[in-house]
Amino acid sequence: MHAAGQTSIWNARGMNPFLWLSLCCLALGMPLWARTLRLLPLATVYSWTALTYVFTPFCGSLFWGEQLSFVYFAGLACIVCGIIITTRNVVE
């Protein structure tokens, strides 16, 4: 919505606060990801990245009022069960 109201490409993309916030989060997350990979087995860490598909719609609902349906919660249950199943043997 920010980009739609701007007249130039610089104002639309370069001055977008959400773009800069996401780039800062990415820059902060990279060292944390590298540290996590050093401390935990890859099979465990990579499985937990699936939680991105859980948190992203929740953030959309919280910040932008998107509706979460029953299908979303069914998918959420599948993702969480898959994480538990795939990391169960690695942690033990």
Side-chain angles (χ1 to χ4, degrees), residues 8 12 21-22 27 35-36 43 50 54 63 65-67 70 72 79 82 90 92:
S8 72
L21 178 63
S22 65
R35 176 92 172 133
T36 304
V54 174
F63 295 117
E66 294 182 8
Q67 298 296 318
F70 173 76
Y72 167 75
I79 290 171
V90 176
E92 291 177 355

Side-chain angles (χ1 to χ4, degrees), residues 3-66:
Q6 303 301 318
T7 57
S8 72
I9 191 81
W10 172 248
N11 287 338
R13 305 294 189 288
M15 300 302 289
N16 187 336
F18 294 112
L19 173 65
W20 288 105
L21 178 63
S22 65
L23 290 174
C24 288
C25 289
L26 179 63
L28 291 172
M30 288 174 131
L32 294 174
W33 176 249
R35 176 92 172 133
T36 304
L37 287 175
R38 287 186 187 150
L39 297 175
L40 297 171
L42 181 62
T44 302
V45 176
Y46 194 70
S47 296
W48 284 95
T49 60
L51 287 178
T52 302
Y53 300 109
V54 174
F55 292 127
T56 302
F58 274 128
C59 289
S61 176
L62 180 68
F63 295 117
W64 291 283
E66 294 182 8

Side-chain angles (χ1 to χ4, degrees), residues 73-90:
F73 288 105
L76 169 80
C78 290
I79 290 171
V80 171
C81 288
I83 291 171
I84 291 169
I85 290 169
T86 58
T87 59
R88 180 179 51 157
N89 294 332
V90 176

